[in-house]
Amino acid sequence: MLDQGAPPHHDATATAPSPGLAARLVRRKPVERLVAEGGQGEGGSLRRSLGLWQLTMISIGATLGTGIFVVLGEAVPKAGPAVTLSFVIAGLTALFSALSYAELAGTIPVAGSSYSYAYATMGELVAWICGWCLVLEYGVSVAAVAVGWGEYLNELLDGTIGVTLPAVLSAPPGDGGIFNLPALIVVLLAMTFLLGGARESARANTIMVVVKIAALVLFCAIGVQGFRSGNYEHFMPLGMAGVSAAGATLFFSYIGFDAASTAGEEAKNAQRDLPRAIMLSLIIVTVLYVLVAAVAVGAKPWRSFTDSEASLAQIMTDVTGQSFWGTLLAFCAVVAIASVVLTVLYGQTRVMFAMSRDGLVPKVFSKVHPKTGAPRANTLIVSLFCGVLAAAIPLGQLADATSIGTLFAFALVNVAVVVLRRTRPEMPRTFRVPLSPVLPALGFGFCVWMMGSLSTVTWVVFGVWMAVGLVFYFVYGHRRSRLATPDTSEVRTHQK
């Protein structure tokens, strides 16, 4: 069997007198080279400062909060009380993909996440498509969650000082406003933490994760007092199609578990800790999601969940008859959702860092500040883009667009783990997907099924996004790829 990671193979392809377009599109980056370049940027290097605890908190921070604090109000009208089943289905879909992520993260511990895994297994064009999906997944997710943050901020302001921000400044066009100022503010706050470096950002995130877990436990303890079994009488009023549609939307709330894989070049022991962090975070998040959703639907008739991003705070107020508990939960949600913005924004910057280092996007995204070890210009550009997006586009459209990009990237990861098993079976793996290729095939199938449950509008948006990405790749990326000039790259690698 040919060793797909051997440098001579790539030299022969890249240095041929007139390489065909097809050859350029399928050129792969050797695993050894991906790992050897870990941490290297323009003008500096990322710092390895994160252990298992911090990595797990990054994954929980990026995941826990989006589905419960923000998207629950969007999903319940689609599935009714069966939204709990939607969470389980979305969680199973995430689990199959998480197993594949865990194996690849331990084998190829780099910042690019599924983009880098695709580059090593399926070639440059597929890697670009995957990376472009990650830009949609992370970047749009930041914007979507920031929109929900503004809703809870208004709940908090109303419960503490009796005022709320006017709709014109707290909602995007189409939702009764002109500019969502709170959404922009929370993105800029997250940007400030990230500019200080990975260790400082991880410390702030850990504090916020503890607050959000405590808030959800408190909600369950109080919300269960208002539980009414009659709210579950018509468990699946819209049928399995509604459950599936809600599950596809709620999959948005699971995207964060792969955030730890973007920290591969800043982890102290990436090969050991990344698989553990991914699996541990997904288990914790899924249990909390199902419990909170079950209590929420039991305490409030499903038809009452109508476009409210702050539904949990309202339930607390309704059950207790006191505004204090709803205000307290709103405060915790403000902190919790801010941590999602922080960690997902972190993941976006690291994916862009990896793509820039490979030459597929401009070099400015891989420049590292020598003092903080953070990609400052990258962080500023990505943050401003996400902030403006959050201020201008409604939540529902953002959540579905994020879901389809996530599902597509996850489907590719399930393929990548099987391909790498076949092409590089001798590579050491700190974690192996059990029953491969059966479970990766199930992960791929679930992703495709849930993508099919999304609306036609979402597919059109996704198609336009991919078309724009392909134009950018053919105009810029494939010509400037560092695999097109292997001699320079190989020298840099061997000098390490």
Side-chain angles (χ1 to χ4, degrees), residues 23 64 130 161-162 265 296 323 340 361 375 430 439:
L64 187 59
C130 188
I161 59 178
E265 296 173 23
S323 62
V340 178
V361 297
T430 55
L439 292 189

Side-chain angles (χ1 to χ4, degrees), residues 145-200:
V145 178
V147 172
W149 186 83
E151 293 287 334
Y152 274 100
L153 179 64
N154 261 338
E155 288 281 332
L156 178 60
L157 292 174
D158 185 44
T160 52
I161 59 178
V163 299
T164 59
L165 294 173
V168 69
L169 292 178
S170 60
D175 277 2
I178 296 177
F179 193 79
N180 194 331
L181 183 61
L184 175 61
I185 289 174
V186 71
V187 174
L188 295 180
L189 288 174
M191 178 190 74
T192 303
F193 280 112
L194 291 175
L195 290 174
R199 178 184 294 177
E200 291 72 16

Side-chain angles (χ1 to χ4, degrees), residues 369-436:
H369 193 274
K371 183 177 180 180
T372 63
R376 280 195 169 183
N378 179 345
T379 302
L380 286 167
I381 295 170
V382 170
S383 299
L384 291 175
F385 170 78
C386 294
V388 171
L389 200 64
I393 301 180
L395 171 65
Q397 297 175 23
L398 288 171
D400 283 349
T402 304
S403 292
I404 196 168
T406 304
L407 287 163
F408 192 88
F410 284 9
L412 291 179
V413 169
N414 284 295
V415 174
V417 76
V418 175
V419 172
L420 194 63
R421 284 273 191 102
R422 291 182 176 274
T423 57
R424 301 297 303 275
E426 81 289 351
M427 289 192 66
R429 291 166 168 82
T430 55
F431 177 87
R432 298 178 70 90
V433 179
L435 302 177
S436 180

